[in-house]
């Protein structure tokens, strides 16, 4: 149990285009989903927290108009990188948690999406 | 100040030996949770083990155990009988429970290499 998927696993796009990344919880309903960014050989940096049906909460320094997050259902959240530029190239990874699981609000992570902007 | 400190950038261990990965944390919140995740070269973050601040006993999950020393604010991960597949990056993380936040703060990670 606690499987989270991400799609696509990798994407290459031209500068100026927008890219959408999907994050799905496959076997549980995620009350909260998180989006992280990870640069090579570095730790995860939280970008935003989203709850189903409400606006995402962005971390300081993260442009909400640049990184659009939609949490349309209890199993799906999307991150759209708008007008992508080469500096947006990174590894984006989502996680999902659910208080309903009766555990410890453990975050379960997706496999990540590697974005390369040319 | 860093909330999660992992001072070992990398470690090497022989297959079948035990290894301890260090993690210290800093919080004034009496209620918090500590997590360890493994990240192999494929990039996925794999949840290994959890320790709650009020848990009386050290957490164990198969070959993983967490040596929780609350007074020292340390939460070291112990992997017994290392396997080649244990080679990966390992991240310690903390969730502070104040305000109902579910946010995790990650350490910088450390790279474990298991040699045959």
């Amino acid at each position: 149990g606690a499987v989270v998927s991400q799609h696509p696993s990798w994407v290459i796009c031209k500068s100026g285009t927008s890219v959408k990344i999907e994050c799905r919880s496959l076997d549980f309903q995620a009350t909260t989903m998180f989006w992280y960014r990870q640069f090579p050989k570095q730790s995860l940096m939280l970008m935003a927290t989203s709850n189903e049906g409400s606006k995402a909460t962005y971390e300081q320094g993260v442009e909400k108009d640049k990184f659009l997050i939609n949490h349309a259902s209890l199993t799906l959240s999307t991150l759209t990188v708008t007008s992508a530029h080469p500096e947006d190239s990174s590894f984006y990874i989502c996680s999902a948690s659910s208080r309903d699981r009766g555990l410890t609000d453990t975050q379960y992570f997706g496999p990540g999406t590697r974005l390369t902007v040319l | 100040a860093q909330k999660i400190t992992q001072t070992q950038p990398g470690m090497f261990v022989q297959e079948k030996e035990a290894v301890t990965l260090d993690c210290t944390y800093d919080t004034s919140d009496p209620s918090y949770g500590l997590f360890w995740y493994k990240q192999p070269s494929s990039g996925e973050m794999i949840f290994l083990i959890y320790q709650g601040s009020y848990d009386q006993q050290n957490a164990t999950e198969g070959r993983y155990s967490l040596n929780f020393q609350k007074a020292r604010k340390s939460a070291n991960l112990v992997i017994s009988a290392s396997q080649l597949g244990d080679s990966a990056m390992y991240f310690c993380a903390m969730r502070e429970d104040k305000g109902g936040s579910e946010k995790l703060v990650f350490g910088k990670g450390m790279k474990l290499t298991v040699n045959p």
Side-chain angles (χ1 to χ4, degrees):
Chain A
V3 180
V4 178
S5 70
Q6 253 181 270
H7 179 79
S9 56
W10 58 270
V11 58
I12 300 173
C13 69
K14 292 182 179 180
S15 186
T17 60
S18 295
V19 175
K20 180 185 283 189
I21 303 170
E22 290 187 352
C23 177
R24 294 181 185 272
S25 56
L26 298 185
D27 56 354
F28 68 101
Q29 293 187 324
T31 49
T32 309
M33 286 185 167
F34 305 83
W35 286 96
Y36 295 85
R37 183 173 182 177
Q38 186 179 31
F39 291 104
K41 298 186 179 182
Q42 293 189 23
S43 189
L44 277 70
M45 182 189 77
L46 179 65
M47 298 175 67
T49 303
S50 73
N51 293 291
E52 185 264 342
S54 61
K55 290 184 178 180
T57 302
Y58 290 81
E59 294 300 299
Q60 191 172 12
V62 178
E63 300 175 59
K64 60 182 180 182
D65 295 329
K66 173 77 170 174
F67 300 99
L68 300 178
I69 292 172
N70 184 279
H71 194 154
S73 74
L74 285 171
T75 59
L76 172 65
S77 176
T78 60
L79 168 68
T80 301
V81 184
T82 61
S83 186
H85 291 283
E87 58 266 30
D88 298 324
S89 298
S90 189
F91 187 64
Y92 293 88
I93 189 165
C94 72
S95 70
S97 68
S98 174
R99 295 185 182 275
D100 294 337
R101 290 184 65 83
L103 291 172
T104 55
D105 302 332
T106 298
Q107 289 185 30
Y108 295 92
F109 285 80
T113 298
R114 191 162 303 280
L115 170 64
T116 302
V117 185
L118 302 177
Chain B
Q2 289 186 17
K3 287 184 175 283
I4 294 287
T5 302
Q6 294 179 258
T7 57
Q8 307 153 309
M11 286 189 71
F12 294 86
V13 66
Q14 287 298 119
E15 194 178 8
K16 299 181 184 178
E17 290 185 352
V19 62
T20 298
L21 312 184
D22 295 341
C23 173
T24 57
Y25 59 93
D26 182 29
T27 181
S28 58
D29 193 338
S31 179
Y32 52 90
L34 297 159
F35 301 78
W36 276 93
Y37 288 88
K38 170 186 176 181
Q39 187 178 41
S41 57
S42 58
E44 61 185 312
M45 293 285 284
I46 302 168
F47 165 69
L48 297 179
I49 197 166
Y50 165 84
Q51 181 83 43
S53 59
Y54 294 118
D55 293 343
Q56 296 295 317
Q57 294 186 330
N58 288 341
T60 60
E61 287 286 349
R63 294 186 299 113
Y64 304 108
S65 62
L66 200 151
N67 185 359
F68 183 43
Q69 307 253 335
K70 195 169 183 178
R72 296 183 179 181
K73 293 188 176 179
S74 74
N76 298 341
L77 176 70
V78 180
I79 305 176
S80 63
S82 300
Q83 300 173 356
L84 295 178
D86 293 334
S87 294
M89 286 291 294
Y90 287 81
F91 291 92
C92 179
M94 177 174 68
R95 184 197 69 231
E96 293 174 301
D97 294 335
K98 58 186 176 184
S101 172
E102 297 180 59
K103 293 199 294 186
L104 289 179
V105 175
F106 284 86
K108 292 184 177 180
M110 64 85 62
K111 185 175 182 179
L112 176 66
T113 302
V114 181
N115 293 318

